[in-house]
Amino acid sequence: MNAVLGVGGGIAAYRSAELARALMERGWRVSVVMTQAAQAFITPLTFASLTGRKVITGLFSAATPEATLASAIEHIAVARENDVLVVAPATADLLAKMAHGIADDFLTTLYLAFTGPMVLAPAMNSAMWEHAATRENVETLRRRGHLIVGPGDGLLACGEIGPGRMAEPPAIADAVTTVLQPARRDLQGESFLVTAGPTQEPLDPVRYISNRSSGRMGYAMAEA
């Protein structure tokens, strides 16, 4: 199983190293993509050492003309090679860009090219998390089927206490594993008889106990 871990530019970026290890412990092969801002909090060498794989830090390579040409379409290859896209921390900036389809770096360009399941772990100041723009962006991403993990409440880097703390790396790793597990279909192939409407339980030859059921629940159950 291949996972690409996108690391946004927030103080929680250092916890993404723990997330990379947690994913690997669960059997994932992890590739890391870092935004430019993320590199101000943690170095690419940290992730390269943990994963043993190349860390992508930019949309284009300036090493050689051939490398520049190859990097121009690298986001397509990364999108095809991986089973799930995890963004942690998902900053307010990244959430906004993903919600509105803005692709101005490797991670956001990869997001538009990726067709598999996505897990987003928001992390930011409480006021930023509670802002109407952020909440609308999160709801937009939820409607697209993305799994939002967290954020949790706690002491933030700014010294405030409230929502905005990135979920614990093991919890995110568990969510990533769960999102690819096929839904259980224990009842597939079985036949059922569903009764609907009121029932009568005799007390004696004359009297009985009944209810005022409309039958709607039984009809809904049968339809489902």
Side-chain angles (χ1 to χ4, degrees):
M1 298 185 296
N2 298 321
V4 54
L5 172 59
V7 183
I11 188 62
Y14 78 94
R15 304 180 71 204
S16 297
E18 184 182 349
L19 173 57
R21 182 176 293 279
L23 288 169
M24 293 172 64
E25 290 173 348
R26 288 160 176 76
W28 290 92
R29 186 182 184 190
V30 180
S31 299
V32 176
V33 175
M34 301 179 69
T35 65
Q36 184 176 358
Q39 298 170 60
F41 295 94
I42 187 170
T43 66
L45 181 59
T46 300
F47 291 105
S49 300
L50 285 171
T51 65
R53 294 176 60 79
K54 167 189 173 183
V55 176
I56 300 175
T57 57
L59 190 56
F60 299 107
S61 171
T64 64
E66 291 78 13
T68 301
L69 179 61
S71 65
I73 58 172
E74 188 175 14
H75 59 283
I76 303 298
V78 173
R80 291 174 179 172
E81 292 169 357
N82 288 276
D83 302 300
V84 62
L85 170 60
V86 190
V87 181
T91 61
D93 177 66
L94 280 175
L95 293 174
K97 288 178 178 178
M98 289 187 290
H100 294 279
I102 298 173
D104 59 358
D105 63 4
F106 193 97
L107 181 54
T108 50
T109 304
L110 170 64
Y111 169 78
L112 291 185
F114 197 83
T115 58
M118 304 187 194
V119 178
L120 312 178
M124 65 198 73
N125 171 268
S126 297
M128 297 173 69
W129 173 250
E130 297 291 352
H131 196 283
T134 302
R135 304 315 292 266
E136 290 175 6
N137 292 334
V138 170
E139 288 307 311
T140 295
L141 295 170
R142 276 202 179 103
R143 286 195 297 270
R144 290 180 192 164
H146 304 343
L147 177 61
I148 310 296
V149 183
D153 290 324
L155 179 63
L156 306 179
C158 60
E160 297 180 3
I161 297 177
R165 181 180 176 85
M166 191 175 90
E168 294 300 320
I172 301 173
D174 287 342
V176 173
T177 301
T178 301
V179 80
L180 278 185
Q181 290 179 346
R184 294 183 60 183
R185 299 183 180 274
D186 296 341
L187 303 180
Q188 188 169 1
E190 300 290 343
S191 298
F192 300 90
L193 173 65
V194 180
T195 62
T199 57
Q200 297 179 355
E201 185 68 24
L203 290 177
D204 55 40
V206 176
R207 297 174 300 170
Y208 60 84
I209 297 176
S210 185
N211 57 65
R212 295 188 176 91
S213 172
S214 66
R216 291 179 181 176
M217 180 177 291
Y219 301 154
M221 181 70 72
E223 182 179 1

